[in-house]
């Protein structure tokens, strides 16, 4: 698989997470071109909240057991359900096609932005990421790179470590989805607001160091994922 699915979720035009994911994507595209590159901006182009047709269709599919994606449409019993599936299926296909998924995630109120959660809720349709024939996880070979930006600092050695509901949530979600923990990488740019917020000014240098470390890690991960995509293309 030589596909990069790049999702940005910041509402800000001057966004650290966007700059970092763009840096990753530029490096990946320099190696692989644009054919396998897909960018979605879930903040600028948000998905509608789930309507009642989504859980109705999902629950009917769950009751039927293992259902192939191609057969889900046949379970829809109303225009509302058909509409929900028409919105959902292309997004599921994008995720399944991706060798690497790159998520740009600003911290909003200790967690992920609602726009990203709307995408997560939509793609996570019952059974979509399980092979109906074998029960195996369909994302077992997928890599996910999560780049977060936080106004403050939440690392293990900070007083606010227990307030980080981004990384623990996304780790649990991705693991539950079938992405192996070894295939999940997290990069954090912290103290992004240190220069603006008076109480955080003592931490400006910390913010600069965090950003420099995040840029270096993004470069490293972009090189790794690009090389892996190249070798999978050569082997295919
Ligand atoms: C709605 C909103 C909520 C925020 N909540 C937090 C928060 O809980 N903790 C924090 O450290 N920073 C918080 N921030 C600051 C952002 O995490 C920070 O500006 C970060 O750089 C945003 O990512 P971006 O630069 O990619 O947009 C918040 C910002 C906004 C707009």
């Amino acid at each position: 698989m030589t596909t990069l699915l790049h999702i940005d979720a910041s509402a800000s035009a001057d966004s650290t997470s966007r700059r970092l994911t763009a840096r990753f994507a530029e490096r990946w595209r320099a190696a692989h071109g644009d054919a396998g590159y897909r960018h979605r901006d879930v903040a600028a182009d948000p998905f509608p909240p789930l309507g009642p047709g989504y859980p109705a269709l999902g629950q009917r599919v769950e009751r039927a057991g293992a259902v192939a994606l191609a057969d889900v449409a046949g379970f829809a019993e109303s225009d509302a359900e058909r509409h929900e599936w028409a919105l959902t299926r292309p997004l599921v296909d994008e995720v399944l096609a991706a060798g690497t998924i790159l998520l740009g995630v600003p911290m909003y109120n200790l967690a992920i932005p609602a726009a990203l959660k709307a995408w997560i809720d939509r793609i996570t349709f019952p059974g979509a990421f399980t092979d109906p024939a074998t029960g195996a996880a369909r994302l077992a070979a997928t890599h996910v790179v999560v780049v977060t930006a936080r106004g403050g600092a939440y690392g293990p050695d900070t007083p606010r470590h227990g307030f980080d509901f981004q990384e623990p949530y996304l780790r649990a979600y991705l693991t539950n989805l079938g992405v192996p923990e070894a295939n999940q990488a997290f990069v954090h740019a912290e103290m992004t607001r240190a220069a603006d917020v008076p109480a955080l000014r003592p931490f400006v240098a910390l913010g600069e160091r965090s950003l420099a470390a995040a840029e270096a890690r993004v470069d490293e991960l972009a090189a790794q994922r690009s090389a892996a995509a190249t070798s999978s293309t050569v082997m295919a």
Side-chain angles (χ1 to χ4, degrees):
M1 284 186 282
T2 56
T3 302
L4 175 65
L5 175 60
H6 172 183
I7 309 279
D8 277 317
S10 172
S12 174
D14 180 27
S15 156
T16 301
S17 62
R18 279 179 192 281
R19 277 194 293 277
L20 288 166
T21 57
R23 187 179 175 106
F24 184 113
E26 267 165 33
R27 281 153 178 71
W28 193 94
R29 290 161 73 195
H32 298 289
D34 284 344
Y37 174 66
R38 180 77 173 98
H39 183 224
R40 277 196 183 272
D41 186 336
V42 298
D45 195 9
F47 296 105
L50 303 181
Y54 184 101
L57 178 61
Q59 287 160 18
R60 197 171 308 115
V61 166
E62 272 179 317
R63 283 193 291 272
V67 174
L69 280 180
D71 297 333
V72 170
F75 284 77
E77 292 184 356
S78 67
D79 285 346
E81 292 179 15
R82 280 184 278 279
H83 173 69
E84 293 290 343
W85 186 238
L87 288 175
T88 303
R89 174 78 198 266
L91 304 181
V92 169
D93 287 342
E94 274 176 10
V95 171
L96 287 170
T100 300
I101 300 171
L102 173 65
L103 300 178
V105 189
M107 177 180 276
Y108 287 172
N109 298 304
L110 308 177
I112 67 169
L116 181 63
K117 185 62 165 47
W119 177 78
I120 284 176
D121 288 345
R122 191 160 282 287
I123 63 165
T124 317
F125 190 84
F129 299 104
T130 304
D131 185 324
T134 64
R138 298 183 72 182
L139 300 182
T142 307
H143 286 250
V144 180
V145 176
V146 178
V147 180
T148 80
R150 292 113 174 248
Y154 298 82
D157 49 349
T158 68
R160 291 172 70 82
H161 184 51
F163 289 61
D164 174 8
F165 293 91
Q166 278 185 316
E167 179 170 337
Y169 164 69
L170 286 169
R171 276 195 188 281
Y173 168 71
L174 292 168
T175 301
N176 202 42
L177 203 64
V179 178
E181 281 190 45
N183 292 6
Q184 303 171 23
F186 285 79
V187 183
H188 303 295
E190 299 203 305
M191 285 293 174
T192 62
R193 304 298 316 284
D196 307 317
V197 178
L200 296 181
R201 289 233 175 92
F203 304 112
V204 166
L206 195 65
E208 288 167 358
R209 283 202 300 276
S210 177
L211 181 60
E215 287 171 348
R217 183 68 179 133
V218 159
D219 291 354
E220 192 178 44
L221 287 166
Q224 275 175 19
R225 297 313 316 142
S226 290
T230 302
S231 65
S232 73
T233 306
V234 169
M235 285 165 65

